[in-house]
């Protein structure tokens, strides 16, 4: 029997005795799905951490049952602690070790993010309700064959990054995030929020909606509420790109909102237009400039631009050994270029 909310553990036991079947609440079911889909060390640690309150609750209930039956607390010989106290202490120690390990992983993720920032790759976070097609979309945008989308809840529990190229040949990083869920059990909120840390540091957010789902509008509200609770910079929320996915499953689909784009990630409908829209938004959010620079072909300028900017076009002027180079370049890279090649 499944109950779509968190229930008090003693009540769960009473209901099981009354109905004669196992009773699972929302917390237990979501935790089980999370555990099944956890792949990386960080995801597994987050699930184990989220499970500790459940173990503490069970331990408390077991003690209450023993007290009612007259068993009471038993001291472990020579320790001065009761069995229950030992169990609580072990859980506390386990919790502290997990938090310490997660902090080290968080620091590593911060370092990787800093490296991406130094190389100035724009970062695009792809968010959406669980099973909306985020991974399928990123695979379609990047051609990353290692991505294996699955038609199930919380198929993605780990933040993963994938390189893609926009129409201007600009390289960007797409970040695949954990799927959102309405009424996420309280004990899982902290673990869930920790996985969304990279969203705060992105240059653009793409919100993917499964427009064929009957609860699509409610799912949108839930996703936007979670994003607002992350205390994102206002410009990130204002520049958000909303995408209606799975239009192939929605007969007669149309939208009157010019800011919304309908696509099918599975069949490739609308992806070129989406790439162009992402590119325009990235240029605006990152302050990159499109300009033409005159360079000497005998010098190091052209190779430097290929490394530090996005070279779109090179028009060679053979008569004077120069070239007009059309580039997309960040303000900081352009500042370096002017210093190095005055």
């Amino acid at each position: 029997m499944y109950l779509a909310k968190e229930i008090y553990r003693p009540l769960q036991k009473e209901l099981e005795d009354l109905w004669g079947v196992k009773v699972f609440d929302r917390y237990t079911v979501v935790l089980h799905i999370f555990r099944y889909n956890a792949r990386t060390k960080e995801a597994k640690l987050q699930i184990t951490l989220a499970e500790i309150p459940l173990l503490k609750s069970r331990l408390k209930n077991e003690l209450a049952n023993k007290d009612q039956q007259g068993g009471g607390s038993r001291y472990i010989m020579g320790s001065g602690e009761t069995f229950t106290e030992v169990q609580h202490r072990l859980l506390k120690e386990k919790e502290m070790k997990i938090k310490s390990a997660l902090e080290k992983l968080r620091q590593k993720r911060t370092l990787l993010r800093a490296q991406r920032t130094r190389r100035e790759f724009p970062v695009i976070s792809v968010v959406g309700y669980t099973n909306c097609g985020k991974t399928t979309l990123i695979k379609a945008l990047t051609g990353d064959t290692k991505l294996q989308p699955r038609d199930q809840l919380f198929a993605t529990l780990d933040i993963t990054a994938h390189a893609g190229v926009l129409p201007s040949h600009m390289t960007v990083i797409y970040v695949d995030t954990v799927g959102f869920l309405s009424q996420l059990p309280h004990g899982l909120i902290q673990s869930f929020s920790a996985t969304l840390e990279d969203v705060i540091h992105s240059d653009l957010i793409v919100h993917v909606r499964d427009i064929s789902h009957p609860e699509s509008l409610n799912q949108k509200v839930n996703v936007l509420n979670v994003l607002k609770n992350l205390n994102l910079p206002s410009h990130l929320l204002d520049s958000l790109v909303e995408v209606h996915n799975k239009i192939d499953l929605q007969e007669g689909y149309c939208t009157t909102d010019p800011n919304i784009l309908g696509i099918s990630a599975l069949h490739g409908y609308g992806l070129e237009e989406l790439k162009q829209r992402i590119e325009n938004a990235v240029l605006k959010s990152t302050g990159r400039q499109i300009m033409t620079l005159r360079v000497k072909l005998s010098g190091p300028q052209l190779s430097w631009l290929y490394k530090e900017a996005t070279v779109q076009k090179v028009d060679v002027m053979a008569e004077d050994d120069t070239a007009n180079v059309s580039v997309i370049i960040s303000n900081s890279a352009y500042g370096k270029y002017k210093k190095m090649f005055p």
Side-chain angles (χ1 to χ4, degrees):
M1 176 70 68
Y2 167 66
L3 300 178
K5 57 173 63 181
E6 290 183 70
I7 57 175
Y8 187 49
R9 300 302 154 190
L11 175 59
Q12 181 181 5
K13 184 68 171 63
E14 289 180 20
L15 293 175
E16 288 177 347
D17 293 341
L18 179 64
W19 293 334
V21 294
K22 291 289 290 182
V23 174
F24 299 95
D25 68 355
R26 190 176 182 84
Y27 187 93
T28 308
V29 171
V30 172
L31 189 63
H32 175 75
I33 297 173
F34 273 31
R35 190 188 302 110
Y36 177 79
N37 288 305
R39 295 289 182 269
T40 65
K41 181 179 179 181
E42 182 172 14
K44 292 175 181 178
L45 285 172
Q46 291 283 10
I47 302 310
T48 304
L49 183 62
E51 196 173 21
I52 287 179
L54 184 62
L55 296 175
K56 286 181 177 179
S57 177
R58 286 177 180 170
L59 187 62
K60 184 178 179 181
N61 295 338
E62 287 174 7
L63 177 61
N65 289 335
K66 285 181 181 179
D67 287 341
Q68 288 176 0
Q69 296 167 10
S73 300
R74 306 274 184 191
Y75 284 90
I76 296 178
M77 188 177 295
S79 70
E81 291 179 295
T82 65
F83 175 77
T84 304
E85 289 171 341
V86 170
Q87 292 293 93
H88 271 295
R89 177 170 55 79
L90 291 175
L91 283 174
K92 184 66 176 176
E93 290 174 358
K94 183 178 181 180
E95 185 177 23
M96 291 175 65
K97 286 180 181 177
I98 293 173
K99 286 182 176 180
S100 176
L102 283 171
E103 177 59 24
K104 290 178 181 177
L105 289 171
R106 190 192 67 79
Q107 291 173 0
K108 181 181 178 181
R109 194 167 64 241
T110 301
L111 179 62
L112 291 173
R113 190 164 55 239
Q115 291 172 349
R116 288 201 300 262
T117 302
R118 280 199 297 273
R119 297 198 64 180
E120 296 192 328
F121 290 135
V123 176
I124 301 160
S125 289
V126 182
V127 304
Y129 206 83
T130 184
N131 207 31
C132 68
K134 299 185 309 300
T135 304
T136 302
L137 176 59
I138 291 176
K139 182 176 182 178
L141 291 172
T142 64
D144 191 340
T145 55
K146 291 181 290 185
L147 279 169
Q148 295 300 325
R150 288 172 286 163
D151 184 16
Q152 62 187 58
L153 300 178
F154 303 109
T156 301
L157 271 185
D158 308 293
I159 292 287
T160 56
H162 311 269
V165 179
L166 296 178
S168 65
H169 309 297
M170 178 168 50
T171 299
V172 295
I173 303 296
Y174 292 100
V175 175
D176 194 3
T177 62
V178 60
F180 291 29
L181 178 70
S182 64
Q183 299 176 25
L184 189 71
H186 179 73
L188 287 171
I189 289 175
Q190 186 174 358
S191 300
F192 174 79
S193 298
T195 65
L196 294 174
E197 191 176 273
D198 281 87
V199 177
I200 301 172
H201 302 279
S202 56
D203 297 297
L204 181 69
I205 297 175
V206 174
H207 175 198
V208 183
R209 290 176 57 190
D210 176 359
I211 202 62
S212 69
H213 197 287
E215 293 294 322
S216 181
L217 188 56
N218 289 335
Q219 291 176 353
K220 172 184 177 177
V221 172
N222 179 259
V223 170
L224 294 180
N225 285 339
V226 173
L227 291 176
K228 288 173 183 175
N229 289 335
L230 289 175
N231 295 318
L232 298 174
S234 58
H235 73 270
L236 261 183
L237 288 174
D238 294 339
S239 63
L240 181 144
V241 174
E242 182 176 326
V243 175
H244 288 180
N245 190 25
K246 306 185 185 181
I247 61 172
D248 52 303
L249 302 178
Q250 187 78 358
E251 189 175 348
Y253 169 83
C254 69
T255 176
T256 56
D257 190 336
N259 296 315
I260 295 174
L261 185 62
I263 68 162
S264 171
L266 185 62
H267 298 289
Y269 306 151
L271 294 188
E272 293 307 313
E273 187 179 350
L274 175 59
K275 286 181 183 180
Q276 190 61 60
R277 190 167 296 192
I278 288 173
E279 177 171 291
N280 294 340
V282 165
L283 289 174
K284 184 176 180 181
S285 66
T286 61
R288 279 169 163 72
Q289 304 177 59
I290 300 176
M291 60 176 63
T292 300
L293 300 172
R294 190 74 171 261
V295 304
K296 295 180 180 178
L297 292 175
S298 58
Q301 291 102 317
L302 186 57
S303 61
W304 189 94
L305 287 171
Y306 269 110
K307 182 180 178 182
E308 301 294 337
T310 299
V311 176
Q312 294 182 291
K313 186 180 179 182
V314 179
D315 290 326
V316 177
M317 307 296 174
E319 63 275 9
D320 59 0
D321 195 35
T322 63
N324 289 326
V325 184
S326 177
V327 296
I328 296 177
I329 191 167
S330 67
N331 290 330
S332 60
Y334 184 50
K336 293 177 188 176
Y337 178 84
K338 290 194 293 184
K339 283 184 179 180
M340 293 178 66
F341 311 109

